[in-house]
Amino acid sequence: MKLYCLSGHPTLPCNVLKFKSTTIMLDCGLDTTAVLHFLPLPLVHSPRLSKLPGWVSKDGTISLEKELKECAGRVFVDSLPEFCPPERELVDLSTIDVILISNYHCMMALPYITEHTGFTGTVYATEPTLQIGRLLMEELVAFMERVPKAQSATCWKNKEIQRLLPGPLKEAVEVWTWRRCYSMQEVNSALSKVQLVGYSQKVELFGAVQVTPLSSGYALGSSNWIIQSHYEKVSYVSGSSLLTTHPQPMDQSSLKNSDVLILTGLTQIPTANPDGMLGEFCSNLAMTIRAGGNVLVPCYSSGVIYDLLECLYQFIDSANLASTPLYFISPVANSSLEFSQIFAEWLCQNKQSKVYLPEPPFPHAELIQTNKLKHYPGIYGDFSNEFRQPCVVFTGHPSLRFGDVVHFMELWGKSSLNTVIFTEPDFSYLDALAPYQPLAMKCVYCPIDTRLNFHQVAKLLKEVQPLHVVCPEQYTQPPPTQSHRSDLMLELQPPPMPYRRCSVLGLPFRRRYERIQLLPELAKSLVPAEIKPGISVATVSAVLQTKDNKHVLQPPPKPAPAPPSKKRKRVIEEPPELMSPKPLLSGALPLEPFLSLLHKHGIMEVKVEDTPDGHILHLQAEDTLIQLEEDSTHIVCDNNEALRATLRDLVLRFLQKL
């Protein structure tokens, strides 16, 4: 059993597991942090960005003024942003049988995997994962396609040039593998390969293994996966949460008795408490609005935004902010808000029960009815007519490199009354803000990440007790910025097996058993013999048939009757004659009773010699040796077949025949 690691990002994993002749891809996360090296894509012409100076090396030998621009001491690529897809050279991706998706954030690289690699397998995901994943992909494509860029920057990727660039561009890895965004046609083609599954539904793969999704408690439809055969069990835990939020709670008990547990997608902010961050979010928002400023919240169109809106629903009345408009701007804003209300069976019990009242499970439905929350596909059209300030705007993309958020950063960045509040933990807020410097607006970092922290993981692993744990190497050492914090890492016995991008791990357990089915007519012919109290054994002669990884023992074929005609035109190959098998012997040969039996049969002179494996009996008068060992008996007797047969029969009296 081998694990191939195709992604270096611990919360956007992509691994391939080879298990019992099946090749299973676990998630296909897209590392979007590469976009931080690019200039933002403004929706309207930005004089500030267009006037940025091009980059020239200090000695003047390298000039990439058309590709690289300098801003506030940093260098950015002036091109359409690119992403770092999973590694493609480590495994032949056309051999992948299935892809298991754990949540909608971990499927964003799907079109890169399914559309250009010869992939012919099936993708398994829950319905909310598919539908919300589709929305996030549609949004990404829309953000890119509405601001096309003619030029494509590639010269800076030359290794000789890249090492001369200033950081952090100099440290960027795998730059030649970075790819532009896929098209909507590729998204539709990739998602047509998805087969929907429900929690605890068992899916059989080629008769070899069974895969089962379990609720992971992190997002709508998010799953952990069990991959098991009859005698081996692998658990894949990715993006899980034990906090009480809107999704169904995490199913922990089904993870017990795992041979290997692959652990990924822990919180990216282990020191931040999500409840404390929500409180900080609300208080900073209220302070800004009261001072007459606007609040910008860069966010994804699904996920934490539901919790933020629920929090604001309870907060705005008590804070006297009921008249402040909330705007949600995204090409998929309407679909996202509607989907969250219709996936009732995927919600926690509290929200499920509201559906039967009937009430909408999320309070943002009431915010929309009372006109406190308005949603728009973009900043043009209705929004520009109805827009009033001060207000709160939720929009994407959290990287601040594309989407409507770029427009608001340019619009509001010059005033210290306004505030940008970062709630998504995927991007460094300082790197996200770098191309907008110098910036007058206030910046608040309130990352809300409900995924498991190290304390919760330690408790979970203590309960489910897997034999081996596999995890990204980042989890086996403290964060680089807090090297003294040994509590921010996994400390387990035995130590977890770490992996990094492009590593191949041999998982530490061997398959030892296989299940075989006996046909009823063969079972009827067995004659069990008791060898120990409660333990019976029977010999079987059969033909083993293997098909679709299922093994069946069938009765041996009977020889075909001879053809009636005497003259044979050609020689027919005779089936092999089935010999009746020799009986199997079991039991032990006790020394003293055997010696007394020899005496009874007239063999008196017996010299006994002890050996490491048993005894050697030397019958001196007969010039014969009997070697008694734990699992065998040898009679060495020259030219006296009658004596050898007699001694053999005496030995057999103490043994059981099967």
Side-chain angles (χ1 to χ4, degrees), residues 31-295:
D31 187 349
T32 48
T33 53
V35 303
L36 294 174
H37 296 291
F38 292 78
L39 277 181
L41 296 179
L43 288 171
V44 293
H45 176 71
S46 167
R48 184 186 70 84
L49 290 174
S50 60
K51 288 176 187 167
L52 289 176
W55 179 81
V56 181
S57 61
K58 285 180 182 174
D59 57 7
T61 54
I62 300 173
S63 173
L64 292 175
E65 292 178 307
K66 287 188 177 175
E67 291 196 3
L68 304 178
K69 303 288 182 186
E70 284 193 70
C71 177
R74 292 270 291 263
V75 175
F76 295 93
V77 183
D78 186 14
S79 169
L80 207 62
E82 296 178 344
F83 307 101
C84 182
E87 176 60 44
R88 292 179 60 165
E89 303 300 319
L90 197 62
V91 178
D92 180 358
L93 299 180
S94 67
T95 63
I96 289 172
D97 299 309
V98 296
I99 300 176
L100 306 181
I101 303 294
S102 59
N103 62 69
Y104 45 76
H105 287 299
C106 292
M107 65 185 291
M108 298 299 284
L110 196 61
Y112 294 122
I113 303 290
T114 61
E115 298 314 295
H116 306 288
T117 61
F119 173 81
T120 55
T122 307
V123 184
Y124 289 101
T126 61
E127 189 177 4
T129 298
L130 168 66
Q131 300 300 357
I132 297 173
R134 182 191 296 277
L135 295 184
L136 293 178
M137 288 183 190
E138 277 180 24
E139 182 184 56
L140 194 62
V141 172
F143 284 160
M144 293 297 178
E145 289 185 350
R146 69 187 185 187
V147 190
K149 273 208 168 191
Q151 79 268 28
S152 180
T154 54
C155 296
W156 72 273
K157 294 183 181 181
N158 183 303
K159 280 184 181 175
E160 295 305 311
I161 293 176
Q162 193 195 353
R163 64 188 181 83
L164 299 173
L165 299 178
L169 209 52
K170 179 182 181 177
E171 287 86 41
V173 293
E174 311 278 352
V175 293
W176 278 107
T177 67
W178 293 3
R179 301 271 299 278
R180 285 193 167 193
C181 188
Y182 33 71
S183 66
M184 206 57 229
Q185 186 181 352
E186 289 169 324
V187 169
N188 290 330
S189 176
L191 296 182
S192 70
K193 299 173 174 69
V194 175
Q195 195 165 317
L196 298 180
V197 287
Y199 288 151
S200 301
Q201 179 183 336
K202 291 176 167 53
V203 179
E204 199 165 88
L205 307 181
F206 316 111
V209 295
Q210 217 176 47
V211 296
T212 311
L214 311 170
S215 173
S216 76
Y218 167 57
L220 276 176
S222 65
S223 315
N224 293 322
W225 288 87
I226 300 291
I227 305 150
Q228 62 186 352
S229 64
H230 294 303
Y231 298 102
E232 298 91 19
K233 179 176 178 180
V234 176
S235 295
Y236 177 59
V237 175
S238 170
S240 303
S241 178
L242 293 170
L243 301 180
T244 307
T245 55
H246 58 271
Q248 262 193 44
M250 179 181 176
D251 179 351
Q252 299 175 60
S253 59
S254 302
L255 301 172
K256 289 180 178 175
N257 306 316
S258 300
D259 295 291
V260 172
L261 187 143
I262 302 168
L263 178 67
T264 182
L266 302 186
T267 176
Q268 298 182 77
I269 322 289
T271 53
N273 175 354
D275 287 336
M277 291 293 111
L278 272 173
E280 216 169 297
F281 169 79
C282 290
S283 61
N284 278 289
L285 181 142
M287 276 165 52
T288 304
I289 297 294
R290 285 183 188 130
N294 301 292
V295 176

